Amino acid sequence: LALFLLTSLKGAERKFPMKLRNISFYTQQKFGENPPVQDFLQMDPKLVAQQISLIDHDLLKAIQTKELLRKAFSKPDQCPNFIEMASRFNYWSMFVISEIFGRSDINVVKKRSCQDRAVIVEKFIKVANTLKRLRNFHASYAIVAGLGHSSISRLKLTWAKVTKRAKERINKLLQLFDMTFNFKYYREALAAARPPVIPFLGIVPKDLTTVEENYEDKVSITFENNQVQMVNFEKMKLLYRI
């Protein structure tokens, strides 16, 4: 299953020769050429979510602390693991789009094709919801972003075929990842989540940059009538919490 997921990602560019702009990192990603070798619709959404989480977890573990400090994340040559993890967001989003539009077995009759696509949409909603329960916020948001892509969100007839329960689930996920008030609902969910957790990396650079630019590494204090430079522990604590 893990091999299927990885080869499906690589097959996305073969189906759709396009570049998907990352909504969080503003980088353009390219995809490979190998086609998927299994049927996504025949897979258990829980198992798919578990395998996605294992893949993401390995990438997250590989990120070194130095890749996040002193704005190293803005320099690709200094943060290869961070960039790889960030790029995975695009991959999962493209996976959604490629499955919905790239399947050769979707009925060509308009009404039937809408029903076929609705089944795939519901499957991805289940995967995204399971990813959220597994506390993989990074991939869950990526799936939601894929479903919210303009090429999919405009399929009114397809969404009309999606069940009420599935729509309720996707609406809750959309609320969770709402960018209003600086991702207020997501931040609350992240703070309440028990480890292990895979956070959404899209807001990490912003939070780190805010601290780096508003706090000095050292502060000047008076000690025995002399000015002494001391480590700014307040800044260190803020960086640690991020």
Side-chain angles (χ1 to χ4, degrees):
L1 177 55
L3 178 61
F4 161 76
L5 291 170
L6 292 173
T7 54
S8 293
L9 298 177
K10 294 178 181 178
E13 186 181 52
R14 183 184 63 83
K15 295 178 182 179
F16 300 98
M18 60 178 286
K19 294 181 179 179
L20 180 65
R21 186 177 183 182
N22 191 308
I23 65 171
S24 303
F25 297 90
Y26 301 99
T27 58
Q28 292 183 324
Q29 308 299 331
K30 291 186 177 181
F31 302 89
E33 299 178 351
N34 296 328
V37 295
Q38 300 183 49
D39 187 0
F40 171 71
L41 287 177
Q42 301 303 316
M43 297 178 183
D44 181 357
K46 182 177 180 180
L47 187 57
V48 173
Q50 289 173 341
Q51 291 298 317
I52 288 176
S53 296
L54 288 173
I55 294 170
D56 282 354
H57 187 245
D58 285 342
L59 292 173
L60 183 63
K61 288 193 302 180
I63 299 176
Q64 301 179 41
T65 304
K66 64 181 181 180
E67 298 184 46
L68 303 175
L69 300 177
R70 301 183 184 280
K71 294 192 258 187
F73 48 79
S74 63
K75 305 168 186 175
D77 60 317
Q78 296 184 20
C79 59
N81 298 305
F82 182 82
I83 292 295
E84 178 64 22
M85 182 67 182
S87 301
R88 190 63 59 180
F89 187 97
N90 272 3
Y91 289 150
W92 296 135
S93 294
M94 180 59 77
F95 176 45
V96 175
I97 299 170
S98 65
E99 279 295 315
I100 293 175
F101 288 108
R103 295 181 66 93
S104 60
D105 57 344
I106 290 182
N107 199 302
V108 294
V109 179
K110 186 174 183 180
K111 290 185 178 180
R112 184 57 189 169
S113 67
C114 293
Q115 183 62 52
D116 291 343
R117 289 197 175 103
V119 171
I120 304 174
V121 168
E122 290 180 17
K123 189 88 168 186
F124 275 114
I125 292 175
K126 290 180 181 178
V127 171
N129 193 57
T130 304
L131 285 165
K132 185 202 74 172
R133 288 194 282 108
L134 291 174
R135 302 180 295 282
N136 183 351
F137 296 104
H138 191 73
S140 180
Y141 189 15
I143 300 296
V144 171
L147 290 170
H149 191 270
S150 59
S151 61
I152 296 176
S153 62
R154 65 180 175 80
L155 301 176
K156 306 300 182 183
L157 295 178
T158 295
W159 284 99
K161 299 289 185 179
V162 175
T163 65
K164 180 180 178 181
R165 184 179 181 183
K167 288 179 180 177
E168 290 174 351
R169 283 178 173 174
I170 190 64
N171 286 334
K172 288 182 179 179
L173 289 170
L174 288 170
Q175 182 183 37
L176 173 64
F177 296 115
D178 187 355
M179 291 184 286
T180 305
F181 302 116
N182 196 20
F183 287 93
K184 175 179 181 292
Y185 300 111
Y186 161 69
R187 292 180 186 275
E188 291 175 349
L190 180 64
R194 294 181 295 104
V197 176
I198 302 177
F200 167 52
L201 262 63
I203 62 176
V204 173
K206 177 183 176 182
D207 291 348
L208 290 173
T209 299
T210 299
V211 175
E212 292 283 6
E213 293 184 350
N214 289 281
Y215 294 84
E216 298 293 337
D217 290 340
K218 293 185 178 182
V219 292
S220 179
I221 65 171
T222 302
F223 180 73
E224 295 182 350
N225 296 323
N226 294 315
Q227 290 293 320
V228 181
Q229 292 292 313
M230 302 290 289
V231 174
N232 188 348
F233 283 100
E234 182 63 26
K235 177 180 180 178
M236 301 305 126
K237 286 191 291 185
L238 290 172
L239 291 173
Y240 174 77
R241 290 170 184 167
I242 295 174

mmCIF file of all heavy atoms in Angstrom, residues 16 18-23 31 89-90 92-98 100-101 121 141-156 159 170 174:
data_model
loop_
_atom_site.group_PDB
_atom_site.id
_atom_site.type_symbol
_atom_site.label_atom_id
_atom_site.label_comp_id
_atom_site.label_asym_id
_atom_site.label_seq_id
_atom_site.Cartn_x
_atom_site.Cartn_y
_atom_site.Cartn_z
ATOM 1 N N PHE A 16 -1.459 14.529 -15.333
ATOM 2 C CA PHE A 16 -1.698 15.961 -15.448
ATOM 3 C C PHE A 16 -0.370 16.689 -15.523
ATOM 4 O O PHE A 16 0.241 16.966 -14.498
ATOM 5 C CB PHE A 16 -2.500 16.464 -14.239
ATOM 6 C CG PHE A 16 -3.842 15.803 -14.103
ATOM 7 C CD1 PHE A 16 -4.005 14.736 -13.236
ATOM 8 C CD2 PHE A 16 -4.906 16.238 -14.858
ATOM 9 C CE1 PHE A 16 -5.232 14.113 -13.125
ATOM 10 C CE2 PHE A 16 -6.138 15.613 -14.743
ATOM 11 C CZ PHE A 16 -6.301 14.552 -13.875
ATOM 12 N N MET A 18 1.206 19.338 -15.114
ATOM 13 C CA MET A 18 1.041 20.681 -14.583
ATOM 14 C C MET A 18 1.855 20.792 -13.298
ATOM 15 O O MET A 18 2.325 19.810 -12.763
ATOM 16 C CB MET A 18 -0.427 20.973 -14.258
ATOM 17 C CG MET A 18 -1.019 20.009 -13.217
ATOM 18 S SD MET A 18 -2.714 20.369 -12.776
ATOM 19 C CE MET A 18 -2.478 21.823 -11.776
ATOM 20 N N LYS A 19 2.017 22.030 -12.819
ATOM 21 C CA LYS A 19 2.668 22.260 -11.541
ATOM 22 C C LYS A 19 1.635 22.819 -10.579
ATOM 23 O O LYS A 19 0.884 23.708 -10.930
ATOM 24 C CB LYS A 19 3.843 23.237 -11.697
ATOM 25 C CG LYS A 19 4.990 22.683 -12.529
ATOM 26 C CD LYS A 19 6.106 23.694 -12.621
ATOM 27 C CE LYS A 19 7.279 23.145 -13.432
ATOM 28 N NZ LYS A 19 8.363 24.146 -13.544
ATOM 29 N N LEU A 20 1.623 22.275 -9.368
ATOM 30 C CA LEU A 20 0.685 22.737 -8.365
ATOM 31 C C LEU A 20 1.405 23.649 -7.389
ATOM 32 O O LEU A 20 2.388 23.250 -6.774
ATOM 33 C CB LEU A 20 0.105 21.535 -7.601
ATOM 34 C CG LEU A 20 -0.909 21.848 -6.506
ATOM 35 C CD1 LEU A 20 -2.166 22.454 -7.137
ATOM 36 C CD2 LEU A 20 -1.265 20.601 -5.733
ATOM 37 N N ARG A 21 0.933 24.852 -7.237
ATOM 38 C CA ARG A 21 1.600 25.797 -6.344
ATOM 39 C C ARG A 21 1.239 25.480 -4.906
ATOM 40 O O ARG A 21 0.071 25.335 -4.571
ATOM 41 C CB ARG A 21 1.158 27.218 -6.673
ATOM 42 C CG ARG A 21 1.935 28.264 -5.880
ATOM 43 C CD ARG A 21 1.509 29.657 -6.285
ATOM 44 N NE ARG A 21 2.290 30.651 -5.599
ATOM 45 C CZ ARG A 21 2.093 31.952 -5.751
ATOM 46 N NH1 ARG A 21 1.177 32.387 -6.569
ATOM 47 N NH2 ARG A 21 2.828 32.806 -5.086
ATOM 48 N N ASN A 22 2.234 25.372 -4.062
ATOM 49 C CA ASN A 22 2.019 25.068 -2.662
ATOM 50 C C ASN A 22 1.419 26.282 -1.980
ATOM 51 O O ASN A 22 1.982 27.365 -2.012
ATOM 52 C CB ASN A 22 3.363 24.701 -2.014
ATOM 53 C CG ASN A 22 3.188 24.123 -0.639
ATOM 54 O OD1 ASN A 22 2.527 24.699 0.209
ATOM 55 N ND2 ASN A 22 3.789 22.970 -0.445
ATOM 56 N N ILE A 23 0.257 26.127 -1.340
ATOM 57 C CA ILE A 23 -0.429 27.269 -0.751
ATOM 58 C C ILE A 23 0.309 27.817 0.459
ATOM 59 O O ILE A 23 0.048 28.925 0.896
ATOM 60 C CB ILE A 23 -1.868 26.909 -0.341
ATOM 61 C CG1 ILE A 23 -1.855 25.868 0.787
ATOM 62 C CG2 ILE A 23 -2.666 26.430 -1.519
ATOM 63 C CD1 ILE A 23 -3.212 25.622 1.393
ATOM 64 N N PHE A 31 6.517 16.084 -10.478
ATOM 65 C CA PHE A 31 6.167 14.735 -10.092
ATOM 66 C C PHE A 31 6.777 13.735 -11.065
ATOM 67 O O PHE A 31 7.139 14.060 -12.186
ATOM 68 C CB PHE A 31 4.642 14.568 -10.062
ATOM 69 C CG PHE A 31 3.977 15.544 -9.127
ATOM 70 C CD1 PHE A 31 3.575 16.788 -9.562
ATOM 71 C CD2 PHE A 31 3.801 15.223 -7.792
ATOM 72 C CE1 PHE A 31 2.991 17.698 -8.702
ATOM 73 C CE2 PHE A 31 3.216 16.129 -6.923
ATOM 74 C CZ PHE A 31 2.810 17.358 -7.378
ATOM 75 N N PHE A 89 3.076 18.058 1.147
ATOM 76 C CA PHE A 89 1.741 18.662 1.161
ATOM 77 C C PHE A 89 1.203 18.742 -0.260
ATOM 78 O O PHE A 89 0.059 18.390 -0.540
ATOM 79 C CB PHE A 89 1.820 20.053 1.791
ATOM 80 C CG PHE A 89 0.486 20.714 2.003
ATOM 81 C CD1 PHE A 89 -0.133 20.661 3.240
ATOM 82 C CD2 PHE A 89 -0.149 21.394 0.968
ATOM 83 C CE1 PHE A 89 -1.367 21.270 3.439
ATOM 84 C CE2 PHE A 89 -1.370 22.001 1.153
ATOM 85 C CZ PHE A 89 -1.989 21.941 2.400
ATOM 86 N N ASN A 90 2.040 19.208 -1.184
ATOM 87 C CA ASN A 90 1.646 19.292 -2.589
ATOM 88 C C ASN A 90 1.358 17.918 -3.169
ATOM 89 O O ASN A 90 0.428 17.741 -3.959
ATOM 90 C CB ASN A 90 2.759 19.950 -3.405
ATOM 91 C CG ASN A 90 2.635 21.455 -3.424
ATOM 92 O OD1 ASN A 90 1.759 22.022 -2.790
ATOM 93 N ND2 ASN A 90 3.523 22.107 -4.144
ATOM 94 N N TRP A 92 0.307 15.127 -1.713
ATOM 95 C CA TRP A 92 -0.981 14.554 -1.286
ATOM 96 C C TRP A 92 -2.150 15.287 -1.947
ATOM 97 O O TRP A 92 -3.158 14.665 -2.309
ATOM 98 C CB TRP A 92 -1.106 14.612 0.233
ATOM 99 C CG TRP A 92 -0.112 13.785 1.002
ATOM 100 C CD1 TRP A 92 0.599 14.174 2.095
ATOM 101 C CD2 TRP A 92 0.285 12.423 0.744
ATOM 102 N NE1 TRP A 92 1.414 13.153 2.525
ATOM 103 C CE2 TRP A 92 1.242 12.067 1.723
ATOM 104 C CE3 TRP A 92 -0.067 11.476 -0.219
ATOM 105 C CZ2 TRP A 92 1.841 10.807 1.774
ATOM 106 C CZ3 TRP A 92 0.535 10.220 -0.181
ATOM 107 C CH2 TRP A 92 1.474 9.898 0.802
ATOM 108 N N SER A 93 -2.027 16.592 -2.100
ATOM 109 C CA SER A 93 -3.097 17.353 -2.766
ATOM 110 C C SER A 93 -3.233 16.932 -4.225
ATOM 111 O O SER A 93 -4.347 16.753 -4.735
ATOM 112 C CB SER A 93 -2.816 18.852 -2.681
ATOM 113 O OG SER A 93 -2.866 19.304 -1.353
ATOM 114 N N MET A 94 -2.108 16.762 -4.908
ATOM 115 C CA MET A 94 -2.141 16.335 -6.302
ATOM 116 C C MET A 94 -2.668 14.909 -6.442
ATOM 117 O O MET A 94 -3.321 14.567 -7.433
ATOM 118 C CB MET A 94 -0.750 16.456 -6.916
ATOM 119 C CG MET A 94 -0.671 16.032 -8.378
ATOM 120 S SD MET A 94 -1.767 16.995 -9.443
ATOM 121 C CE MET A 94 -0.828 18.507 -9.594
ATOM 122 N N PHE A 95 -2.391 14.085 -5.443
ATOM 123 C CA PHE A 95 -2.905 12.714 -5.437
ATOM 124 C C PHE A 95 -4.434 12.726 -5.502
ATOM 125 O O PHE A 95 -5.055 11.939 -6.226
ATOM 126 C CB PHE A 95 -2.415 11.998 -4.171
ATOM 127 C CG PHE A 95 -2.952 10.613 -3.993
ATOM 128 C CD1 PHE A 95 -2.997 9.713 -5.042
ATOM 129 C CD2 PHE A 95 -3.418 10.193 -2.754
ATOM 130 C CE1 PHE A 95 -3.485 8.418 -4.874
ATOM 131 C CE2 PHE A 95 -3.904 8.912 -2.564
ATOM 132 C CZ PHE A 95 -3.940 8.023 -3.633
ATOM 133 N N VAL A 96 -5.056 13.616 -4.753
ATOM 134 C CA VAL A 96 -6.522 13.743 -4.760
ATOM 135 C C VAL A 96 -7.015 14.111 -6.153
ATOM 136 O O VAL A 96 -7.926 13.478 -6.704
ATOM 137 C CB VAL A 96 -6.977 14.816 -3.744
ATOM 138 C CG1 VAL A 96 -8.483 15.039 -3.843
ATOM 139 C CG2 VAL A 96 -6.580 14.418 -2.331
ATOM 140 N N ILE A 97 -6.400 15.125 -6.738
ATOM 141 C CA ILE A 97 -6.832 15.608 -8.051
ATOM 142 C C ILE A 97 -6.636 14.545 -9.124
ATOM 143 O O ILE A 97 -7.503 14.331 -9.977
ATOM 144 C CB ILE A 97 -6.053 16.891 -8.414
ATOM 145 C CG1 ILE A 97 -6.338 17.985 -7.391
ATOM 146 C CG2 ILE A 97 -6.417 17.375 -9.818
ATOM 147 C CD1 ILE A 97 -5.451 19.209 -7.514
ATOM 148 N N SER A 98 -5.502 13.846 -9.072
ATOM 149 C CA SER A 98 -5.208 12.844 -10.097
ATOM 150 C C SER A 98 -6.158 11.660 -10.019
ATOM 151 O O SER A 98 -6.540 11.086 -11.044
ATOM 152 C CB SER A 98 -3.762 12.361 -9.976
ATOM 153 O OG SER A 98 -3.561 11.665 -8.755
ATOM 154 N N ILE A 100 -9.307 11.757 -8.895
ATOM 155 C CA ILE A 100 -10.659 12.175 -9.297
ATOM 156 C C ILE A 100 -10.778 12.377 -10.800
ATOM 157 O O ILE A 100 -11.782 12.005 -11.414
ATOM 158 C CB ILE A 100 -11.061 13.463 -8.544
ATOM 159 C CG1 ILE A 100 -11.214 13.154 -7.045
ATOM 160 C CG2 ILE A 100 -12.356 14.052 -9.111
ATOM 161 C CD1 ILE A 100 -11.501 14.364 -6.196
ATOM 162 N N PHE A 101 -9.726 12.917 -11.423
ATOM 163 C CA PHE A 101 -9.794 13.210 -12.852
ATOM 164 C C PHE A 101 -9.043 12.222 -13.732
ATOM 165 O O PHE A 101 -9.289 12.168 -14.937
ATOM 166 C CB PHE A 101 -9.241 14.613 -13.130
ATOM 167 C CG PHE A 101 -10.137 15.715 -12.668
ATOM 168 C CD1 PHE A 101 -9.795 16.481 -11.572
ATOM 169 C CD2 PHE A 101 -11.326 15.983 -13.318
ATOM 170 C CE1 PHE A 101 -10.613 17.507 -11.129
ATOM 171 C CE2 PHE A 101 -12.155 16.997 -12.890
ATOM 172 C CZ PHE A 101 -11.802 17.766 -11.790
ATOM 173 N N VAL A 121 -14.652 11.207 -4.098
ATOM 174 C CA VAL A 121 -14.626 12.356 -3.184
ATOM 175 C C VAL A 121 -14.933 11.903 -1.760
ATOM 176 O O VAL A 121 -14.234 12.281 -0.805
ATOM 177 C CB VAL A 121 -15.637 13.432 -3.629
ATOM 178 C CG1 VAL A 121 -15.826 14.475 -2.521
ATOM 179 C CG2 VAL A 121 -15.171 14.114 -4.903
ATOM 180 N N TYR A 141 -4.861 18.218 6.121
ATOM 181 C CA TYR A 141 -5.074 19.511 5.471
ATOM 182 C C TYR A 141 -4.755 19.426 3.979
ATOM 183 O O TYR A 141 -5.428 20.050 3.147
ATOM 184 C CB TYR A 141 -4.215 20.567 6.153
ATOM 185 C CG TYR A 141 -4.498 21.987 5.713
ATOM 186 C CD1 TYR A 141 -5.659 22.319 5.006
ATOM 187 C CD2 TYR A 141 -3.615 23.019 6.016
ATOM 188 C CE1 TYR A 141 -5.921 23.619 4.612
ATOM 189 C CE2 TYR A 141 -3.868 24.326 5.630
ATOM 190 C CZ TYR A 141 -5.011 24.614 4.924
ATOM 191 O OH TYR A 141 -5.273 25.904 4.532
ATOM 192 N N ALA A 142 -3.746 18.640 3.625
ATOM 193 C CA ALA A 142 -3.385 18.494 2.218
ATOM 194 C C ALA A 142 -4.529 17.867 1.416
ATOM 195 O O ALA A 142 -4.837 18.305 0.300
ATOM 196 C CB ALA A 142 -2.129 17.637 2.084
ATOM 197 N N ILE A 143 -5.162 16.841 1.993
ATOM 198 C CA ILE A 143 -6.303 16.200 1.320
ATOM 199 C C ILE A 143 -7.458 17.191 1.186
ATOM 200 O O ILE A 143 -8.095 17.298 0.130
ATOM 201 C CB ILE A 143 -6.766 14.954 2.096
ATOM 202 C CG1 ILE A 143 -5.634 13.922 2.206
ATOM 203 C CG2 ILE A 143 -7.984 14.333 1.422
ATOM 204 C CD1 ILE A 143 -5.166 13.336 0.916
ATOM 205 N N VAL A 144 -7.719 17.928 2.263
ATOM 206 C CA VAL A 144 -8.789 18.930 2.234
ATOM 207 C C VAL A 144 -8.484 20.004 1.184
ATOM 208 O O VAL A 144 -9.375 20.438 0.441
ATOM 209 C CB VAL A 144 -8.959 19.580 3.629
ATOM 210 C CG1 VAL A 144 -9.914 20.768 3.559
ATOM 211 C CG2 VAL A 144 -9.465 18.553 4.630
ATOM 212 N N ALA A 145 -7.220 20.419 1.105
ATOM 213 C CA ALA A 145 -6.825 21.422 0.103
ATOM 214 C C ALA A 145 -7.007 20.875 -1.308
ATOM 215 O O ALA A 145 -7.413 21.599 -2.219
ATOM 216 C CB ALA A 145 -5.376 21.842 0.330
ATOM 217 N N GLY A 146 -6.702 19.582 -1.487
ATOM 218 C CA GLY A 146 -6.894 18.962 -2.796
ATOM 219 C C GLY A 146 -8.360 18.955 -3.195
ATOM 220 O O GLY A 146 -8.720 19.263 -4.340
ATOM 221 N N LEU A 147 -9.226 18.615 -2.234
ATOM 222 C CA LEU A 147 -10.668 18.608 -2.509
ATOM 223 C C LEU A 147 -11.197 20.019 -2.738
ATOM 224 O O LEU A 147 -12.207 20.207 -3.426
ATOM 225 C CB LEU A 147 -11.414 17.971 -1.333
ATOM 226 C CG LEU A 147 -11.218 16.462 -1.147
ATOM 227 C CD1 LEU A 147 -11.797 16.000 0.179
ATOM 228 C CD2 LEU A 147 -11.858 15.688 -2.304
ATOM 229 N N GLY A 148 -10.504 21.006 -2.173
ATOM 230 C CA GLY A 148 -10.932 22.388 -2.341
ATOM 231 C C GLY A 148 -10.334 23.071 -3.557
ATOM 232 O O GLY A 148 -10.629 24.244 -3.809
ATOM 233 N N HIS A 149 -9.497 22.340 -4.304
ATOM 234 C CA HIS A 149 -8.916 22.911 -5.520
ATOM 235 C C HIS A 149 -10.026 23.326 -6.481
ATOM 236 O O HIS A 149 -11.061 22.658 -6.590
ATOM 237 C CB HIS A 149 -7.995 21.885 -6.184
ATOM 238 C CG HIS A 149 -7.153 22.443 -7.277
ATOM 239 N ND1 HIS A 149 -7.566 22.479 -8.590
ATOM 240 C CD2 HIS A 149 -5.919 23.005 -7.261
ATOM 241 C CE1 HIS A 149 -6.622 23.024 -9.337
ATOM 242 N NE2 HIS A 149 -5.616 23.353 -8.561
ATOM 243 N N SER A 150 -9.819 24.419 -7.183
ATOM 244 C CA SER A 150 -10.871 24.969 -8.043
ATOM 245 C C SER A 150 -11.382 23.962 -9.072
ATOM 246 O O SER A 150 -12.567 23.960 -9.428
ATOM 247 C CB SER A 150 -10.356 26.220 -8.761
ATOM 248 O OG SER A 150 -9.214 25.919 -9.553
ATOM 249 N N SER A 151 -10.507 23.084 -9.554
ATOM 250 C CA SER A 151 -10.923 22.105 -10.560
ATOM 251 C C SER A 151 -11.903 21.083 -9.997
ATOM 252 O O SER A 151 -12.657 20.461 -10.744
ATOM 253 C CB SER A 151 -9.694 21.373 -11.121
ATOM 254 O OG SER A 151 -9.026 20.672 -10.089
ATOM 255 N N ILE A 152 -11.912 20.921 -8.677
ATOM 256 C CA ILE A 152 -12.816 19.958 -8.037
ATOM 257 C C ILE A 152 -14.003 20.658 -7.393
ATOM 258 O O ILE A 152 -15.148 20.188 -7.505
ATOM 259 C CB ILE A 152 -12.049 19.124 -6.987
ATOM 260 C CG1 ILE A 152 -10.971 18.289 -7.679
ATOM 261 C CG2 ILE A 152 -13.002 18.210 -6.209
ATOM 262 C CD1 ILE A 152 -10.099 17.505 -6.732
ATOM 263 N N SER A 153 -13.743 21.767 -6.724
ATOM 264 C CA SER A 153 -14.832 22.471 -6.033
ATOM 265 C C SER A 153 -15.914 22.964 -6.998
ATOM 266 O O SER A 153 -17.067 23.143 -6.604
ATOM 267 C CB SER A 153 -14.262 23.651 -5.245
ATOM 268 O OG SER A 153 -13.644 24.594 -6.104
ATOM 269 N N ARG A 154 -15.538 23.157 -8.276
ATOM 270 C CA ARG A 154 -16.524 23.652 -9.246
ATOM 271 C C ARG A 154 -17.419 22.548 -9.809
ATOM 272 O O ARG A 154 -18.354 22.821 -10.569
ATOM 273 C CB ARG A 154 -15.809 24.347 -10.404
ATOM 274 C CG ARG A 154 -14.954 23.423 -11.243
ATOM 275 C CD ARG A 154 -14.257 24.155 -12.376
ATOM 276 N NE ARG A 154 -13.336 23.314 -13.115
ATOM 277 C CZ ARG A 154 -13.699 22.455 -14.064
ATOM 278 N NH1 ARG A 154 -14.981 22.337 -14.387
ATOM 279 N NH2 ARG A 154 -12.798 21.726 -14.689
ATOM 280 N N LEU A 155 -17.167 21.295 -9.435
ATOM 281 C CA LEU A 155 -17.971 20.172 -9.941
ATOM 282 C C LEU A 155 -19.278 20.079 -9.150
ATOM 283 O O LEU A 155 -19.464 19.221 -8.297
ATOM 284 C CB LEU A 155 -17.178 18.863 -9.824
ATOM 285 C CG LEU A 155 -15.849 18.809 -10.583
ATOM 286 C CD1 LEU A 155 -15.122 17.493 -10.289
ATOM 287 C CD2 LEU A 155 -16.095 18.955 -12.088
ATOM 288 N N LYS A 156 -20.198 20.981 -9.432
ATOM 289 C CA LYS A 156 -21.442 21.089 -8.666
ATOM 290 C C LYS A 156 -22.271 19.810 -8.720
ATOM 291 O O LYS A 156 -22.838 19.372 -7.710
ATOM 292 C CB LYS A 156 -22.269 22.270 -9.189
ATOM 293 C CG LYS A 156 -21.530 23.605 -9.216
ATOM 294 C CD LYS A 156 -21.052 24.012 -7.829
ATOM 295 C CE LYS A 156 -20.362 25.365 -7.860
ATOM 296 N NZ LYS A 156 -19.826 25.761 -6.533
ATOM 297 N N TRP A 159 -20.621 17.175 -6.430
ATOM 298 C CA TRP A 159 -20.837 17.443 -5.013
ATOM 299 C C TRP A 159 -22.291 17.231 -4.609
ATOM 300 O O TRP A 159 -22.587 16.907 -3.451
ATOM 301 C CB TRP A 159 -20.389 18.859 -4.665
ATOM 302 C CG TRP A 159 -18.905 18.986 -4.569
ATOM 303 C CD1 TRP A 159 -18.047 19.453 -5.519
ATOM 304 C CD2 TRP A 159 -18.082 18.598 -3.459
ATOM 305 N NE1 TRP A 159 -16.742 19.393 -5.076
ATOM 306 C CE2 TRP A 159 -16.736 18.870 -3.811
ATOM 307 C CE3 TRP A 159 -18.350 18.050 -2.203
ATOM 308 C CZ2 TRP A 159 -15.672 18.614 -2.947
ATOM 309 C CZ3 TRP A 159 -17.286 17.792 -1.341
ATOM 310 C CH2 TRP A 159 -15.972 18.071 -1.712
ATOM 311 N N ILE A 170 -16.572 17.049 5.789
ATOM 312 C CA ILE A 170 -15.662 17.972 5.098
ATOM 313 C C ILE A 170 -15.849 19.396 5.608
ATOM 314 O O ILE A 170 -14.880 20.163 5.712
ATOM 315 C CB ILE A 170 -15.857 17.915 3.553
ATOM 316 C CG1 ILE A 170 -14.736 18.697 2.845
ATOM 317 C CG2 ILE A 170 -17.206 18.437 3.149
ATOM 318 C CD1 ILE A 170 -13.366 18.141 3.047
ATOM 319 N N LEU A 174 -12.985 21.731 7.061
ATOM 320 C CA LEU A 174 -12.757 23.080 6.535
ATOM 321 C C LEU A 174 -12.728 24.104 7.665
ATOM 322 O O LEU A 174 -11.939 25.053 7.648
ATOM 323 C CB LEU A 174 -13.843 23.441 5.517
ATOM 324 C CG LEU A 174 -13.766 22.730 4.161
ATOM 325 C CD1 LEU A 174 -15.031 22.983 3.350
ATOM 326 C CD2 LEU A 174 -12.534 23.196 3.385
#
